[in-house]
Amino acid sequence: MKRILVTGSAGQIGSELVMVLREKYGNDNVIAGTNRTPPSERIKKSGPVEVCNITNKEQLYETVDKYDIDTIYNMAAILSGVGEQRPLLAWKVNMDGFHNVLECAREKELVRVMNPSSIAAFGPETPRMNTPQETVLKPRTMYGVTKVAGELLGDYYFRKFNVDIRGVRYPGIISSETLPGGGTTDYAVAIYYEAIQHGKYECFVREDTVLPMMYMPDALKGIIDLAEAPVDTLKHHCDFNMGSMSFSVKDLANEIKKHIPELEVTYKPDYRQAIADSWPQSIDDTSAREEWGWTPSFDISSMTKDMIEKLTPRLK
Ligand code: SER
């Protein structure tokens, strides 16, 4: 039986991942770990919640013991934008915290750890179009540095200590339940909220900025499918490229305008433009497709239709 701890369960991905895992494995078998931010009402009502800050090794170990955890989805992280404002905090959470998770898995012989990486692992020297699986990893952000180091450390733990750890390089994730916090790709979520509520949006990157993106249902399906893949089919472990769709802000605005014609978008690039410019525009995810059958379901128009249908009754 699986007993799963999801760290970062108040965050953008964690908050939805908990619910999907509870549906699949049973409410009581999925523990929502949070730090300071309380999780959503539906998480609190549907199953166990535990204060579990991954930088606090004792608290992490106690949680794992208390609930007899065998699998950790480590979704606690500081993203790229906040990471540039607070680089030492990003290192502490993304590296020291992650290392605690790995040590916990090694010492307690857990079945599996899932730890997302990101397109932030790439940098300006990386080919930006159809970015290969094996390529230059020289990020310029602290977030990216921790993601590359995390991929390498995870792979090391797999080979050296036989800890079954796996991860995907997520693109920007777009979702309707919880706002992302402190990332560079956050504009692609904020634009929907602002379009519905105010009919206008001021974007912090240029209109021609193209980044790889993914809709949340695909992001969740992907990480769970990878977790369930037989280990002997995997040649990679912690660093799977994972593509879905790529578009400019202008393309996204035009897609939203099909539903909300009055939308006006203005552009005021800030420090996050340089981060976006250092990341790929599209991703070659052949390894994920071949090794564990990755295929996304949503494109920009089906995602936009779904986002607007979900958000409009809540925000209007
Ligand atoms: N969405 C993340 C960020 O913008 C990238 O992984 O920081």
Side-chain angles (χ1 to χ4, degrees), residues 12 79-81 117-120 143 170-173 182-186 279:
Q12 185 198 12
L79 296 184
S80 59
S117 184
S118 161
I119 51 166
Y143 177 64
Y170 272 140
I173 307 292
T184 300
T185 57
D186 294 11
W279 289 352

Side-chain angles (χ1 to χ4, degrees), residues 269-282:
D270 66 15
Y271 68 99
R272 288 167 286 191
Q273 184 68 56
I275 301 178
D277 290 343
S278 75
W279 289 352
Q281 296 195 335
S282 59

